[in-house]
Amino acid sequence: MFAAEFAAGMLLTGWLIFSDSSPLGEYFLHHVAIPNLWRSLHVVPAIAAALVAGNPHGGSEPVAFAGFFLQWFAVGLLLSKPASKFFR
């Protein structure tokens, strides 16, 4: 479950929401609620990356990706118990 969740998150972040080649790219130019929500979910790893890098305008990418990974790992870990009970 964690691997599927992480892969879906990377797909959504990297391509579907923010890429110009996305089939929804034109839609998200005018409707910014979903991209803004997705960015707000990742504000903690972004702040941690900026603090580690010492630059408030741009953080360290490895730290941001590690924070992103840890955040979604925790979500997957918390959801794995109810999901395993549901599918039994």
Side-chain angles (χ1 to χ4, degrees):
M1 180 167 178
F2 162 72
E5 191 176 327
F6 185 75
M10 291 301 285
L11 177 67
L12 286 173
T13 301
W15 180 70
L16 189 59
I17 294 176
F18 299 115
S19 177
D20 292 333
S21 64
S22 167
L24 300 174
E26 188 72 28
Y27 175 79
F28 287 137
L29 283 176
H30 304 288
H31 301 87
V32 295
I34 293 173
N36 286 345
L37 174 67
W38 196 249
R39 286 183 184 106
S40 68
L41 287 174
H42 298 108
V43 74
V44 174
I47 290 173
L51 288 173
V52 168
N55 183 2
H57 302 292
S60 170
E61 283 189 15
V63 175
F65 288 133
F68 180 74
F69 178 82
L70 290 173
Q71 177 180 340
W72 288 108
F73 180 81
V75 170
L77 189 63
L78 289 173
L79 292 178
S80 64
K81 280 271 197 202
S84 65
K85 287 182 182 179
F86 177 75
F87 288 117
R88 274 192 208 171

